[in-house]
Short mmCIF file of all heavy atoms in Angstrom, two decimals:
data_model
loop_
_atom_site.label_atom_id
_atom_site.label_comp_id
_atom_site.label_asym_id
_atom_site.label_seq_id
_atom_site.Cartn_x
_atom_site.Cartn_y
_atom_site.Cartn_z
N PHE A 499 84.93 119.05 114.28
CA PHE A 499 84.81 118.27 115.50
C PHE A 499 85.54 118.95 116.64
O PHE A 499 86.53 119.66 116.44
CB PHE A 499 85.42 116.88 115.31
CG PHE A 499 84.80 116.06 114.21
CD1 PHE A 499 85.44 115.93 112.99
CD2 PHE A 499 83.59 115.42 114.40
CE1 PHE A 499 84.87 115.17 111.98
CE2 PHE A 499 83.02 114.66 113.41
CZ PHE A 499 83.67 114.54 112.18
N ASP A 500 85.07 118.70 117.85
CA ASP A 500 85.84 119.05 119.05
C ASP A 500 86.75 117.86 119.37
O ASP A 500 86.31 116.71 119.30
CB ASP A 500 84.91 119.32 120.22
CG ASP A 500 84.05 120.56 120.00
OD1 ASP A 500 84.51 121.47 119.28
OD2 ASP A 500 82.94 120.60 120.52
N LEU A 501 87.99 118.16 119.72
CA LEU A 501 88.98 117.09 119.94
C LEU A 501 88.91 116.49 121.33
O LEU A 501 88.69 117.19 122.32
CB LEU A 501 90.39 117.62 119.71
CG LEU A 501 90.88 117.70 118.26
CD1 LEU A 501 92.30 118.25 118.25
CD2 LEU A 501 90.84 116.35 117.60
N ILE A 502 89.13 115.19 121.39
CA ILE A 502 89.30 114.46 122.65
C ILE A 502 90.63 113.72 122.56
O ILE A 502 90.81 112.86 121.70
CB ILE A 502 88.16 113.45 122.90
CG1 ILE A 502 86.81 114.16 123.01
CG2 ILE A 502 88.44 112.63 124.17
CD1 ILE A 502 85.63 113.21 123.14
N GLU A 503 91.58 114.07 123.42
CA GLU A 503 92.91 113.44 123.40
C GLU A 503 93.29 113.05 124.84
O GLU A 503 94.12 113.69 125.46
CB GLU A 503 93.95 114.40 122.81
CG GLU A 503 93.71 114.72 121.34
CD GLU A 503 94.76 115.63 120.76
OE1 GLU A 503 95.09 116.66 121.41
OE2 GLU A 503 95.29 115.34 119.67
N PRO A 504 92.71 111.99 125.35
CA PRO A 504 92.89 111.65 126.77
C PRO A 504 94.28 111.16 127.14
O PRO A 504 94.61 111.10 128.32
CB PRO A 504 91.85 110.55 127.01
CG PRO A 504 91.61 109.96 125.65
CD PRO A 504 91.76 111.08 124.68
N LEU A 505 95.12 110.81 126.15
CA LEU A 505 96.45 110.28 126.45
C LEU A 505 97.56 111.30 126.20
O LEU A 505 98.73 110.96 126.26
CB LEU A 505 96.73 109.03 125.59
CG LEU A 505 95.66 107.95 125.54
CD1 LEU A 505 96.13 106.78 124.70
CD2 LEU A 505 95.30 107.49 126.94
N ARG A 506 97.19 112.52 125.93
CA ARG A 506 98.14 113.53 125.47
C ARG A 506 99.29 113.78 126.44
O ARG A 506 100.38 114.19 126.03
CB ARG A 506 97.39 114.83 125.19
CG ARG A 506 98.20 115.90 124.45
CD ARG A 506 97.37 117.14 124.20
NE ARG A 506 98.15 118.17 123.57
CZ ARG A 506 98.28 118.34 122.26
NH1 ARG A 506 97.66 117.51 121.45
NH2 ARG A 506 99.02 119.32 121.77
N ASP A 507 99.08 113.55 127.72
CA ASP A 507 100.13 113.80 128.73
C ASP A 507 100.86 112.53 129.15
O ASP A 507 101.71 112.58 130.05
CB ASP A 507 99.52 114.45 129.98
CG ASP A 507 99.04 115.87 129.72
OD1 ASP A 507 99.46 116.45 128.69
OD2 ASP A 507 98.24 116.38 130.51
N LEU A 508 100.55 111.40 128.53
CA LEU A 508 101.14 110.13 128.96
C LEU A 508 102.24 109.67 128.03
O LEU A 508 102.29 110.02 126.85
CB LEU A 508 100.06 109.03 129.01
CG LEU A 508 98.88 109.25 129.96
CD1 LEU A 508 98.00 108.00 129.97
CD2 LEU A 508 99.35 109.57 131.37
N PHE A 509 103.14 108.84 128.59
CA PHE A 509 104.19 108.20 127.81
C PHE A 509 103.76 106.77 127.46
O PHE A 509 102.80 106.25 128.01
CB PHE A 509 105.49 108.19 128.63
CG PHE A 509 106.10 109.55 128.82
CD1 PHE A 509 105.66 110.38 129.84
CD2 PHE A 509 107.09 110.01 127.97
CE1 PHE A 509 106.20 111.65 130.02
CE2 PHE A 509 107.65 111.28 128.13
CZ PHE A 509 107.21 112.09 129.16
N LYS A 510 104.50 106.16 126.55
CA LYS A 510 104.09 104.87 126.01
C LYS A 510 103.91 103.80 127.09
O LYS A 510 102.93 103.04 127.06
CB LYS A 510 105.10 104.39 124.96
CG LYS A 510 104.77 103.06 124.30
CD LYS A 510 103.57 103.18 123.37
CE LYS A 510 103.94 103.94 122.11
NZ LYS A 510 102.81 103.95 121.14
N ASP A 511 104.83 103.72 128.04
CA ASP A 511 104.71 102.69 129.08
C ASP A 511 103.47 102.92 129.94
O ASP A 511 102.83 101.97 130.40
CB ASP A 511 105.97 102.61 129.93
CG ASP A 511 106.33 103.90 130.60
OD1 ASP A 511 106.08 104.98 130.01
OD2 ASP A 511 106.87 103.88 131.73
N GLU A 512 103.10 104.20 130.17
CA GLU A 512 101.91 104.49 130.94
C GLU A 512 100.66 104.12 130.15
O GLU A 512 99.67 103.65 130.73
CB GLU A 512 101.87 105.99 131.28
CG GLU A 512 102.99 106.42 132.23
CD GLU A 512 102.93 107.89 132.53
OE1 GLU A 512 103.03 108.70 131.60
OE2 GLU A 512 102.77 108.25 133.72
N VAL A 513 100.68 104.35 128.84
CA VAL A 513 99.54 103.96 128.00
C VAL A 513 99.34 102.46 128.07
O VAL A 513 98.19 101.97 128.14
CB VAL A 513 99.78 104.41 126.54
CG1 VAL A 513 98.67 103.89 125.62
CG2 VAL A 513 99.84 105.93 126.46
N ARG A 514 100.42 101.70 128.08
CA ARG A 514 100.30 100.24 128.17
C ARG A 514 99.70 99.82 129.51
O ARG A 514 98.84 98.93 129.58
CB ARG A 514 101.67 99.60 127.95
CG ARG A 514 102.14 99.64 126.50
CD ARG A 514 103.26 98.65 126.27
NE ARG A 514 103.49 98.48 124.86
CZ ARG A 514 104.56 98.91 124.20
NH1 ARG A 514 105.50 99.54 124.84
NH2 ARG A 514 104.70 98.69 122.90
N GLN A 515 100.16 100.45 130.60
CA GLN A 515 99.56 100.16 131.91
C GLN A 515 98.06 100.44 131.91
O GLN A 515 97.27 99.66 132.43
CB GLN A 515 100.24 101.02 132.99
CG GLN A 515 101.69 100.70 133.26
CD GLN A 515 102.30 101.71 134.22
OE1 GLN A 515 101.64 102.19 135.14
NE2 GLN A 515 103.55 102.05 134.00
N LEU A 516 97.70 101.55 131.29
CA LEU A 516 96.29 101.94 131.21
C LEU A 516 95.50 100.91 130.39
O LEU A 516 94.39 100.54 130.78
CB LEU A 516 96.18 103.32 130.59
CG LEU A 516 94.78 103.91 130.41
CD1 LEU A 516 94.07 103.99 131.76
CD2 LEU A 516 94.86 105.29 129.77
N GLY A 517 96.08 100.45 129.30
CA GLY A 517 95.41 99.44 128.48
C GLY A 517 95.12 98.16 129.25
O GLY A 517 94.04 97.58 129.13
N LEU A 518 96.09 97.72 130.06
CA LEU A 518 95.88 96.52 130.88
C LEU A 518 94.78 96.76 131.91
O LEU A 518 93.97 95.87 132.19
CB LEU A 518 97.19 96.11 131.56
CG LEU A 518 98.31 95.64 130.62
CD1 LEU A 518 99.60 95.45 131.41
CD2 LEU A 518 97.91 94.35 129.92
N GLU A 519 94.76 97.96 132.50
CA GLU A 519 93.71 98.28 133.47
C GLU A 519 92.33 98.26 132.84
O GLU A 519 91.34 97.93 133.48
CB GLU A 519 93.97 99.68 134.08
CG GLU A 519 95.15 99.77 135.01
CD GLU A 519 94.91 99.07 136.35
OE1 GLU A 519 93.77 98.66 136.61
OE2 GLU A 519 95.88 98.92 137.11
N LEU A 520 92.27 98.58 131.54
CA LEU A 520 90.99 98.61 130.84
C LEU A 520 90.60 97.25 130.27
O LEU A 520 89.55 97.12 129.65
CB LEU A 520 91.06 99.63 129.69
CG LEU A 520 91.15 101.10 130.13
CD1 LEU A 520 91.52 101.97 128.94
CD2 LEU A 520 89.84 101.56 130.75
N GLY A 521 91.46 96.23 130.48
CA GLY A 521 91.12 94.88 130.07
C GLY A 521 91.49 94.51 128.65
O GLY A 521 91.04 93.48 128.13
N LEU A 522 92.34 95.31 128.00
CA LEU A 522 92.80 94.95 126.66
C LEU A 522 93.74 93.76 126.75
O LEU A 522 94.50 93.62 127.71
CB LEU A 522 93.52 96.12 126.01
CG LEU A 522 92.69 97.36 125.68
CD1 LEU A 522 93.56 98.45 125.10
CD2 LEU A 522 91.56 97.03 124.74
N PRO A 523 93.74 92.86 125.76
CA PRO A 523 94.61 91.69 125.80
C PRO A 523 96.08 92.08 125.69
O PRO A 523 96.43 93.08 125.04
CB PRO A 523 94.17 90.88 124.58
CG PRO A 523 93.54 91.86 123.66
CD PRO A 523 92.90 92.89 124.54
N GLU A 524 96.94 91.32 126.34
CA GLU A 524 98.37 91.63 126.33
C GLU A 524 98.95 91.64 124.93
O GLU A 524 99.87 92.41 124.64
CB GLU A 524 99.14 90.63 127.21
CG GLU A 524 98.85 90.80 128.70
CD GLU A 524 99.91 90.14 129.57
OE1 GLU A 524 100.90 89.60 128.99
OE2 GLU A 524 99.76 90.16 130.79
N SER A 525 98.42 90.79 124.03
CA SER A 525 98.93 90.75 122.67
C SER A 525 98.76 92.10 121.97
O SER A 525 99.57 92.48 121.12
CB SER A 525 98.22 89.66 121.86
OG SER A 525 96.81 89.90 121.81
N LEU A 526 97.71 92.82 122.32
CA LEU A 526 97.48 94.14 121.74
C LEU A 526 98.25 95.21 122.50
O LEU A 526 98.89 96.07 121.90
CB LEU A 526 95.98 94.45 121.74
CG LEU A 526 95.49 95.61 120.87
CD1 LEU A 526 94.01 95.46 120.56
CD2 LEU A 526 95.74 96.96 121.52
N VAL A 527 98.21 95.14 123.81
CA VAL A 527 98.87 96.15 124.63
C VAL A 527 100.39 96.18 124.38
O VAL A 527 101.00 97.26 124.36
CB VAL A 527 98.60 95.89 126.13
CG1 VAL A 527 99.50 96.74 127.01
CG2 VAL A 527 97.14 96.17 126.44
N TRP A 528 100.98 95.02 124.17
CA TRP A 528 102.43 94.95 123.98
C TRP A 528 102.86 94.92 122.53
O TRP A 528 104.03 94.70 122.22
CB TRP A 528 103.00 93.75 124.73
CG TRP A 528 102.92 93.96 126.21
CD1 TRP A 528 102.00 93.45 127.07
CD2 TRP A 528 103.79 94.78 127.00
NE1 TRP A 528 102.23 93.89 128.35
CE2 TRP A 528 103.34 94.71 128.34
CE3 TRP A 528 104.90 95.55 126.71
CZ2 TRP A 528 103.95 95.40 129.37
CZ3 TRP A 528 105.53 96.25 127.74
CH2 TRP A 528 105.06 96.16 129.07
N ARG A 529 101.90 95.12 121.61
CA ARG A 529 102.26 95.20 120.20
C ARG A 529 103.21 96.37 119.98
O ARG A 529 103.00 97.47 120.49
CB ARG A 529 100.99 95.39 119.35
CG ARG A 529 101.24 95.44 117.85
CD ARG A 529 99.92 95.63 117.11
NE ARG A 529 99.08 94.44 117.23
CZ ARG A 529 97.78 94.42 116.95
NH1 ARG A 529 97.19 95.52 116.55
NH2 ARG A 529 97.10 93.30 117.05
N HIS A 530 104.28 96.13 119.25
CA HIS A 530 105.25 97.19 119.01
C HIS A 530 104.59 98.37 118.30
O HIS A 530 103.73 98.18 117.43
CB HIS A 530 106.42 96.68 118.17
CG HIS A 530 107.36 95.80 118.92
ND1 HIS A 530 108.50 95.27 118.36
CD2 HIS A 530 107.34 95.34 120.20
CE1 HIS A 530 109.13 94.53 119.25
NE2 HIS A 530 108.44 94.56 120.37
N PRO A 531 104.95 99.59 118.67
CA PRO A 531 104.35 100.77 118.03
C PRO A 531 104.69 100.85 116.56
O PRO A 531 105.69 100.29 116.10
CB PRO A 531 104.97 101.94 118.80
CG PRO A 531 106.21 101.40 119.41
CD PRO A 531 105.94 99.96 119.71
N PHE A 532 103.82 101.55 115.84
CA PHE A 532 103.95 101.65 114.40
C PHE A 532 103.76 103.12 114.04
O PHE A 532 102.82 103.76 114.52
CB PHE A 532 102.87 100.79 113.74
CG PHE A 532 103.05 100.61 112.26
CD1 PHE A 532 104.21 100.05 111.75
CD2 PHE A 532 102.05 100.97 111.37
CE1 PHE A 532 104.38 99.86 110.39
CE2 PHE A 532 102.20 100.79 110.00
CZ PHE A 532 103.37 100.22 109.51
N PRO A 533 104.64 103.69 113.22
CA PRO A 533 104.54 105.12 112.92
C PRO A 533 103.29 105.47 112.13
O PRO A 533 102.81 104.66 111.32
CB PRO A 533 105.82 105.40 112.10
CG PRO A 533 106.14 104.09 111.47
CD PRO A 533 105.76 103.05 112.49
N GLY A 534 102.76 106.67 112.34
CA GLY A 534 101.59 107.12 111.61
C GLY A 534 101.73 107.00 110.10
O GLY A 534 100.80 106.54 109.42
N PRO A 535 102.88 107.39 109.52
CA PRO A 535 103.05 107.26 108.08
C PRO A 535 103.31 105.83 107.61
O PRO A 535 103.50 105.59 106.42
CB PRO A 535 104.28 108.14 107.78
CG PRO A 535 104.44 109.00 108.98
CD PRO A 535 103.95 108.19 110.13
N GLY A 536 103.33 104.90 108.55
CA GLY A 536 103.47 103.49 108.20
C GLY A 536 104.81 103.14 107.56
O GLY A 536 105.85 103.75 107.84
N LEU A 537 104.77 102.17 106.66
CA LEU A 537 105.99 101.66 106.04
C LEU A 537 106.64 102.68 105.10
O LEU A 537 107.77 102.47 104.65
CB LEU A 537 105.70 100.37 105.27
CG LEU A 537 105.26 99.17 106.13
CD1 LEU A 537 104.98 97.97 105.24
CD2 LEU A 537 106.30 98.82 107.18
N ALA A 538 105.94 103.77 104.81
CA ALA A 538 106.50 104.78 103.90
C ALA A 538 107.80 105.36 104.46
O ALA A 538 108.72 105.71 103.70
CB ALA A 538 105.49 105.90 103.68
N VAL A 539 107.91 105.46 105.81
CA VAL A 539 109.12 106.02 106.40
C VAL A 539 110.17 104.94 106.69
O VAL A 539 111.22 105.22 107.27
CB VAL A 539 108.81 106.83 107.67
CG1 VAL A 539 108.03 108.08 107.31
CG2 VAL A 539 108.06 106.00 108.70
N ARG A 540 109.85 103.72 106.30
CA ARG A 540 110.83 102.62 106.38
C ARG A 540 111.25 102.18 105.00
O ARG A 540 111.99 101.22 104.82
CB ARG A 540 110.25 101.45 107.17
CG ARG A 540 109.96 101.83 108.63
CD ARG A 540 109.28 100.73 109.41
NE ARG A 540 109.02 101.19 110.77
CZ ARG A 540 108.35 100.47 111.67
NH1 ARG A 540 107.87 99.27 111.35
NH2 ARG A 540 108.13 100.95 112.89
N CYS A 541 110.73 102.88 104.01
CA CYS A 541 111.09 102.67 102.61
C CYS A 541 111.82 103.93 102.16
O CYS A 541 111.19 104.90 101.72
CB CYS A 541 109.84 102.43 101.77
SG CYS A 541 110.14 102.25 100.01
N LEU A 542 113.13 103.96 102.31
CA LEU A 542 113.89 105.17 102.01
C LEU A 542 113.87 105.42 100.51
O LEU A 542 114.11 104.51 99.72
CB LEU A 542 115.32 105.03 102.53
CG LEU A 542 115.54 105.38 104.02
CD1 LEU A 542 114.65 104.53 104.92
CD2 LEU A 542 117.00 105.21 104.41
N GLY A 543 113.59 106.67 100.13
CA GLY A 543 113.43 106.98 98.73
C GLY A 543 111.97 106.87 98.33
O GLY A 543 111.07 106.92 99.18
N GLU A 544 111.73 106.70 97.04
CA GLU A 544 110.35 106.63 96.55
C GLU A 544 109.65 105.37 97.04
O GLU A 544 110.24 104.30 97.12
CB GLU A 544 110.33 106.66 95.02
CG GLU A 544 108.92 106.67 94.44
CD GLU A 544 108.89 106.70 92.92
OE1 GLU A 544 109.98 106.58 92.31
OE2 GLU A 544 107.80 106.84 92.35
N VAL A 545 108.37 105.52 97.37
CA VAL A 545 107.57 104.40 97.85
C VAL A 545 106.83 103.76 96.68
O VAL A 545 106.14 104.45 95.94
CB VAL A 545 106.54 104.88 98.91
CG1 VAL A 545 105.68 103.72 99.39
CG2 VAL A 545 107.26 105.54 100.08
N THR A 546 107.00 102.45 96.53
CA THR A 546 106.28 101.71 95.49
C THR A 546 105.66 100.45 96.09
O THR A 546 106.07 100.02 97.19
CB THR A 546 107.21 101.29 94.34
OG1 THR A 546 108.17 100.33 94.84
CG2 THR A 546 107.94 102.49 93.74
N VAL A 547 104.71 99.87 95.41
CA VAL A 547 104.08 98.64 95.86
C VAL A 547 105.12 97.54 96.04
O VAL A 547 105.09 96.78 97.02
CB VAL A 547 102.98 98.20 94.89
CG1 VAL A 547 102.45 96.81 95.27
CG2 VAL A 547 101.84 99.20 94.86
N GLU A 548 106.03 97.44 95.07
CA GLU A 548 107.05 96.38 95.10
C GLU A 548 107.93 96.52 96.33
O GLU A 548 108.24 95.54 97.01
CB GLU A 548 107.89 96.43 93.81
CG GLU A 548 107.15 96.08 92.55
CD GLU A 548 106.23 97.20 92.05
OE1 GLU A 548 106.44 98.37 92.46
OE2 GLU A 548 105.29 96.90 91.27
N LYS A 549 108.36 97.75 96.63
CA LYS A 549 109.22 97.97 97.80
C LYS A 549 108.47 97.67 99.11
O LYS A 549 109.03 97.10 100.03
CB LYS A 549 109.72 99.42 97.81
CG LYS A 549 110.73 99.73 96.72
CD LYS A 549 111.16 101.20 96.80
CE LYS A 549 112.18 101.55 95.75
NZ LYS A 549 112.58 102.98 95.81
N LEU A 550 107.21 98.08 99.17
CA LEU A 550 106.41 97.82 100.36
C LEU A 550 106.27 96.33 100.61
O LEU A 550 106.33 95.86 101.75
CB LEU A 550 105.03 98.46 100.22
CG LEU A 550 104.99 100.00 100.25
CD1 LEU A 550 103.60 100.49 99.90
CD2 LEU A 550 105.43 100.54 101.61
N ASN A 551 106.07 95.56 99.55
CA ASN A 551 105.95 94.10 99.69
C ASN A 551 107.25 93.50 100.22
O ASN A 551 107.21 92.57 101.04
CB ASN A 551 105.55 93.48 98.36
CG ASN A 551 104.11 93.78 97.98
OD1 ASN A 551 103.28 94.04 98.85
ND2 ASN A 551 103.80 93.75 96.69
N VAL A 552 108.39 94.01 99.76
CA VAL A 552 109.69 93.52 100.25
C VAL A 552 109.82 93.79 101.74
O VAL A 552 110.21 92.91 102.53
CB VAL A 552 110.85 94.18 99.47
CG1 VAL A 552 112.18 93.91 100.17
CG2 VAL A 552 110.90 93.66 98.04
N ILE A 553 109.48 95.03 102.17
CA ILE A 553 109.59 95.38 103.58
C ILE A 553 108.66 94.51 104.42
O ILE A 553 109.04 94.02 105.49
CB ILE A 553 109.25 96.87 103.81
CG1 ILE A 553 110.22 97.75 103.03
CG2 ILE A 553 109.29 97.21 105.29
CD1 ILE A 553 109.86 99.21 103.06
#
Side-chain angles (χ1 to χ4, degrees):
F499 301 102
D500 294 331
L501 278 180
I502 298 175
E503 295 181 313
L505 311 182
R506 191 179 176 90
D507 292 343
L508 299 185
F509 291 84
K510 181 70 72 174
D511 58 326
E512 294 180 300
V513 174
R514 287 197 167 110
Q515 293 173 36
L516 180 57
L518 293 173
E519 289 288 351
L520 291 167
L522 294 177
E524 290 198 4
S525 60
L526 194 158
V527 169
W528 290 101
R529 182 179 292 165
H530 286 182
F532 191 58
L537 295 179
V539 293
R540 296 176 182 175
C541 177
L542 276 57
E544 184 180 7
V545 179
T546 67
V547 173
E548 293 76 20
K549 290 179 179 179
L550 291 172
N551 288 335
V552 167
I553 299 173

